Amino acid sequence: MKTYSTTAALRAAISAARRAGKTVAFVPTMGNLHEGHISLVRRAAREADVVVVSIFINPLQFAASEDLSSYPRTLAADKEKLFAEGVQLLFQPAVEEIYPEGMDQHSKVSVPAVSEYHCGASRPGHFTGVATIVNKLFNMVQPDVAVFGEKDFQQLSVIRKMVKDLCMPINVIGVATARAEDGLALSSRNGYLNDEQRHTAPELHRVLQQTREAIACGYDSYGELEEHAKLALQDAGFEPDYVNICDARSLQQVRGDTEEVVILAAAKLGTTRLIDNVTLTLNPSADWGMLAAN
């Protein structure tokens, strides 16, 4: 595995691979890799000849009140995991390589509609930061395939819309959420949980599953289901940010022609903000390339 810190060096390596007729898959990360990230790397390896992984903690997507300084940094362990998976190229740029004139002076990418609700409403500017860095990394790597996790469902939707709107020749693949045995979605932020909180955390997924089951049984008073889910999370010790039942394509209100529903949730447990989602097909004949229930 070769590690590069500059765009020029990375592009030279990718160009050499392309001259040899090889295809390229890309997995962007912020490091602190866990089994969820590794599942993305394994999928990437099935999709292309060369796998490029980036590790960059993007300050543009963190608000001043968020955990940028304390975000876990485990570079040595990350490299060991990537080497074990046979990753060929690791891109590890400094902030100055990505934002040479500073973030305030840098062009930004805004993706309308799908960015504006859910986490977008709770974290203003977050998805502009995500879209900007992913756009820039795509231009640096120019992959054939890019792989993301479905745990960050809204993020995946933002990236898919950006790629479609900007006519990028990249196949964006979503990979099902990796979970611990008790159902908790794997996340770098799980490490912030103390033992008691870690015991409680899987309740987030259980509440979403219960909500999905109610919809599958025909209950369609979605506002009531959302409120019930938030109360259940409060009773379990969470501070809910939102539980939203929406169309999985638009991330807006469920309509009569909605084929796939996604139930999105974010909630704090102590100071740790957790997100999760589950999906449900309303029209079994629909086949539009989204997600199976996870």
PDB file of all heavy atoms in Angstrom, residues 209-226:
ATOM      1  N   GLN A 209     -37.147  -0.040  14.208  1.00  0.00           N
ATOM      2  CA  GLN A 209     -37.722  -1.290  13.723  1.00  0.00           C
ATOM      3  C   GLN A 209     -39.203  -1.394  14.095  1.00  0.00           C
ATOM      4  O   GLN A 209     -40.032  -1.831  13.289  1.00  0.00           O
ATOM      5  CB  GLN A 209     -36.962  -2.484  14.305  1.00  0.00           C
ATOM      6  CG  GLN A 209     -35.579  -2.695  13.711  1.00  0.00           C
ATOM      7  CD  GLN A 209     -34.870  -3.863  14.367  1.00  0.00           C
ATOM      8  OE1 GLN A 209     -34.745  -3.917  15.597  1.00  0.00           O
ATOM      9  NE2 GLN A 209     -34.417  -4.804  13.559  1.00  0.00           N
ATOM     10  N   GLN A 210     -39.541  -1.000  15.316  1.00  0.00           N
ATOM     11  CA  GLN A 210     -40.941  -1.031  15.751  1.00  0.00           C
ATOM     12  C   GLN A 210     -41.800  -0.096  14.906  1.00  0.00           C
ATOM     13  O   GLN A 210     -42.930  -0.426  14.543  1.00  0.00           O
ATOM     14  CB  GLN A 210     -41.029  -0.654  17.229  1.00  0.00           C
ATOM     15  CG  GLN A 210     -40.448  -1.694  18.160  1.00  0.00           C
ATOM     16  CD  GLN A 210     -40.221  -1.174  19.574  1.00  0.00           C
ATOM     17  OE1 GLN A 210     -40.520  -0.015  19.879  1.00  0.00           O
ATOM     18  NE2 GLN A 210     -39.696  -2.013  20.437  1.00  0.00           N
ATOM     19  N   THR A 211     -41.247   1.065  14.576  1.00  0.00           N
ATOM     20  CA  THR A 211     -41.973   2.017  13.732  1.00  0.00           C
ATOM     21  C   THR A 211     -42.174   1.447  12.336  1.00  0.00           C
ATOM     22  O   THR A 211     -43.261   1.553  11.751  1.00  0.00           O
ATOM     23  CB  THR A 211     -41.191   3.345  13.660  1.00  0.00           C
ATOM     24  OG1 THR A 211     -40.959   3.824  14.990  1.00  0.00           O
ATOM     25  CG2 THR A 211     -41.971   4.384  12.878  1.00  0.00           C
ATOM     26  N   ARG A 212     -41.145   0.822  11.803  1.00  0.00           N
ATOM     27  CA  ARG A 212     -41.268   0.188  10.486  1.00  0.00           C
ATOM     28  C   ARG A 212     -42.325  -0.911  10.505  1.00  0.00           C
ATOM     29  O   ARG A 212     -43.128  -1.033   9.577  1.00  0.00           O
ATOM     30  CB  ARG A 212     -39.924  -0.387  10.057  1.00  0.00           C
ATOM     31  CG  ARG A 212     -39.974  -1.106   8.711  1.00  0.00           C
ATOM     32  CD  ARG A 212     -38.591  -1.511   8.228  1.00  0.00           C
ATOM     33  NE  ARG A 212     -37.952  -2.456   9.117  1.00  0.00           N
ATOM     34  CZ  ARG A 212     -36.668  -2.810   9.039  1.00  0.00           C
ATOM     35  NH1 ARG A 212     -35.888  -2.256   8.130  1.00  0.00           N
ATOM     36  NH2 ARG A 212     -36.156  -3.696   9.869  1.00  0.00           N
ATOM     37  N   GLU A 213     -42.340  -1.701  11.559  1.00  0.00           N
ATOM     38  CA  GLU A 213     -43.318  -2.788  11.654  1.00  0.00           C
ATOM     39  C   GLU A 213     -44.743  -2.246  11.692  1.00  0.00           C
ATOM     40  O   GLU A 213     -45.662  -2.837  11.103  1.00  0.00           O
ATOM     41  CB  GLU A 213     -43.031  -3.634  12.896  1.00  0.00           C
ATOM     42  CG  GLU A 213     -41.772  -4.483  12.758  1.00  0.00           C
ATOM     43  CD  GLU A 213     -41.300  -5.055  14.094  1.00  0.00           C
ATOM     44  OE1 GLU A 213     -42.039  -4.902  15.089  1.00  0.00           O
ATOM     45  OE2 GLU A 213     -40.204  -5.645  14.123  1.00  0.00           O
ATOM     46  N   ALA A 214     -44.944  -1.112  12.367  1.00  0.00           N
ATOM     47  CA  ALA A 214     -46.274  -0.511  12.425  1.00  0.00           C
ATOM     48  C   ALA A 214     -46.728  -0.074  11.032  1.00  0.00           C
ATOM     49  O   ALA A 214     -47.891  -0.277  10.648  1.00  0.00           O
ATOM     50  CB  ALA A 214     -46.267   0.684  13.379  1.00  0.00           C
ATOM     51  N   ILE A 215     -45.809   0.514  10.253  1.00  0.00           N
ATOM     52  CA  ILE A 215     -46.144   0.925   8.888  1.00  0.00           C
ATOM     53  C   ILE A 215     -46.433  -0.301   8.025  1.00  0.00           C
ATOM     54  O   ILE A 215     -47.381  -0.323   7.234  1.00  0.00           O
ATOM     55  CB  ILE A 215     -45.005   1.761   8.274  1.00  0.00           C
ATOM     56  CG1 ILE A 215     -44.803   3.058   9.072  1.00  0.00           C
ATOM     57  CG2 ILE A 215     -45.295   2.081   6.814  1.00  0.00           C
ATOM     58  CD1 ILE A 215     -43.568   3.845   8.660  1.00  0.00           C
ATOM     59  N   ALA A 216     -45.639  -1.357   8.184  1.00  0.00           N
ATOM     60  CA  ALA A 216     -45.837  -2.578   7.412  1.00  0.00           C
ATOM     61  C   ALA A 216     -47.189  -3.213   7.707  1.00  0.00           C
ATOM     62  O   ALA A 216     -47.790  -3.868   6.841  1.00  0.00           O
ATOM     63  CB  ALA A 216     -44.715  -3.569   7.707  1.00  0.00           C
ATOM     64  N   CYS A 217     -47.683  -2.985   8.923  1.00  0.00           N
ATOM     65  CA  CYS A 217     -48.995  -3.526   9.317  1.00  0.00           C
ATOM     66  C   CYS A 217     -50.146  -2.632   8.872  1.00  0.00           C
ATOM     67  O   CYS A 217     -51.307  -2.928   9.176  1.00  0.00           O
ATOM     68  CB  CYS A 217     -49.040  -3.737  10.821  1.00  0.00           C
ATOM     69  SG  CYS A 217     -47.996  -5.096  11.406  1.00  0.00           S
ATOM     70  N   GLY A 218     -49.825  -1.520   8.208  1.00  0.00           N
ATOM     71  CA  GLY A 218     -50.863  -0.677   7.651  1.00  0.00           C
ATOM     72  C   GLY A 218     -51.115   0.624   8.372  1.00  0.00           C
ATOM     73  O   GLY A 218     -51.972   1.414   7.962  1.00  0.00           O
ATOM     74  N   TYR A 219     -50.375   0.906   9.440  1.00  0.00           N
ATOM     75  CA  TYR A 219     -50.587   2.146  10.181  1.00  0.00           C
ATOM     76  C   TYR A 219     -49.923   3.284   9.412  1.00  0.00           C
ATOM     77  O   TYR A 219     -48.707   3.282   9.202  1.00  0.00           O
ATOM     78  CB  TYR A 219     -49.994   2.038  11.579  1.00  0.00           C
ATOM     79  CG  TYR A 219     -50.524   3.071  12.546  1.00  0.00           C
ATOM     80  CD1 TYR A 219     -51.634   2.807  13.324  1.00  0.00           C
ATOM     81  CD2 TYR A 219     -49.925   4.319  12.646  1.00  0.00           C
ATOM     82  CE1 TYR A 219     -52.142   3.760  14.214  1.00  0.00           C
ATOM     83  CE2 TYR A 219     -50.418   5.277  13.517  1.00  0.00           C
ATOM     84  CZ  TYR A 219     -51.530   4.994  14.303  1.00  0.00           C
ATOM     85  OH  TYR A 219     -52.033   5.939  15.151  1.00  0.00           O
ATOM     86  N   ASP A 220     -50.726   4.256   8.977  1.00  0.00           N
ATOM     87  CA  ASP A 220     -50.185   5.311   8.124  1.00  0.00           C
ATOM     88  C   ASP A 220     -50.359   6.712   8.700  1.00  0.00           C
ATOM     89  O   ASP A 220     -50.255   7.701   7.971  1.00  0.00           O
ATOM     90  CB  ASP A 220     -50.784   5.245   6.722  1.00  0.00           C
ATOM     91  CG  ASP A 220     -52.299   5.415   6.715  1.00  0.00           C
ATOM     92  OD1 ASP A 220     -52.884   5.576   7.806  1.00  0.00           O
ATOM     93  OD2 ASP A 220     -52.896   5.376   5.616  1.00  0.00           O
ATOM     94  N   SER A 221     -50.605   6.807   9.996  1.00  0.00           N
ATOM     95  CA  SER A 221     -50.609   8.123  10.653  1.00  0.00           C
ATOM     96  C   SER A 221     -49.172   8.432  11.049  1.00  0.00           C
ATOM     97  O   SER A 221     -48.744   8.232  12.191  1.00  0.00           O
ATOM     98  CB  SER A 221     -51.528   8.109  11.874  1.00  0.00           C
ATOM     99  OG  SER A 221     -52.874   7.892  11.494  1.00  0.00           O
ATOM    100  N   TYR A 222     -48.399   8.902  10.073  1.00  0.00           N
ATOM    101  CA  TYR A 222     -46.958   9.005  10.238  1.00  0.00           C
ATOM    102  C   TYR A 222     -46.562   9.998  11.332  1.00  0.00           C
ATOM    103  O   TYR A 222     -45.596   9.770  12.059  1.00  0.00           O
ATOM    104  CB  TYR A 222     -46.306   9.381   8.909  1.00  0.00           C
ATOM    105  CG  TYR A 222     -46.518   8.353   7.830  1.00  0.00           C
ATOM    106  CD1 TYR A 222     -46.914   8.732   6.558  1.00  0.00           C
ATOM    107  CD2 TYR A 222     -46.321   6.992   8.079  1.00  0.00           C
ATOM    108  CE1 TYR A 222     -47.105   7.785   5.554  1.00  0.00           C
ATOM    109  CE2 TYR A 222     -46.513   6.042   7.091  1.00  0.00           C
ATOM    110  CZ  TYR A 222     -46.908   6.446   5.831  1.00  0.00           C
ATOM    111  OH  TYR A 222     -47.102   5.505   4.862  1.00  0.00           O
ATOM    112  N   GLY A 223     -47.306  11.091  11.456  1.00  0.00           N
ATOM    113  CA  GLY A 223     -47.001  12.053  12.517  1.00  0.00           C
ATOM    114  C   GLY A 223     -47.116  11.433  13.893  1.00  0.00           C
ATOM    115  O   GLY A 223     -46.273  11.666  14.774  1.00  0.00           O
ATOM    116  N   GLU A 224     -48.145  10.622  14.076  1.00  0.00           N
ATOM    117  CA  GLU A 224     -48.318   9.945  15.369  1.00  0.00           C
ATOM    118  C   GLU A 224     -47.193   8.950  15.614  1.00  0.00           C
ATOM    119  O   GLU A 224     -46.692   8.835  16.747  1.00  0.00           O
ATOM    120  CB  GLU A 224     -49.668   9.241  15.405  1.00  0.00           C
ATOM    121  CG  GLU A 224     -50.864  10.185  15.425  1.00  0.00           C
ATOM    122  CD  GLU A 224     -52.182   9.441  15.498  1.00  0.00           C
ATOM    123  OE1 GLU A 224     -52.157   8.196  15.708  1.00  0.00           O
ATOM    124  OE2 GLU A 224     -53.232  10.093  15.349  1.00  0.00           O
ATOM    125  N   LEU A 225     -46.811   8.232  14.584  1.00  0.00           N
ATOM    126  CA  LEU A 225     -45.714   7.273  14.734  1.00  0.00           C
ATOM    127  C   LEU A 225     -44.411   7.982  15.090  1.00  0.00           C
ATOM    128  O   LEU A 225     -43.634   7.493  15.915  1.00  0.00           O
ATOM    129  CB  LEU A 225     -45.534   6.471  13.446  1.00  0.00           C
ATOM    130  CG  LEU A 225     -46.595   5.413  13.143  1.00  0.00           C
ATOM    131  CD1 LEU A 225     -46.364   4.819  11.761  1.00  0.00           C
ATOM    132  CD2 LEU A 225     -46.598   4.311  14.204  1.00  0.00           C
ATOM    133  N   GLU A 226     -44.150   9.123  14.463  1.00  0.00           N
ATOM    134  CA  GLU A 226     -42.939   9.889  14.767  1.00  0.00           C
ATOM    135  C   GLU A 226     -42.922  10.336  16.223  1.00  0.00           C
ATOM    136  O   GLU A 226     -41.894  10.217  16.912  1.00  0.00           O
ATOM    137  CB  GLU A 226     -42.850  11.096  13.831  1.00  0.00           C
ATOM    138  CG  GLU A 226     -42.545  10.718  12.389  1.00  0.00           C
ATOM    139  CD  GLU A 226     -42.758  11.878  11.421  1.00  0.00           C
ATOM    140  OE1 GLU A 226     -43.285  12.925  11.856  1.00  0.00           O
ATOM    141  OE2 GLU A 226     -42.395  11.735  10.239  1.00  0.00           O
TER     142      GLU A 226
END
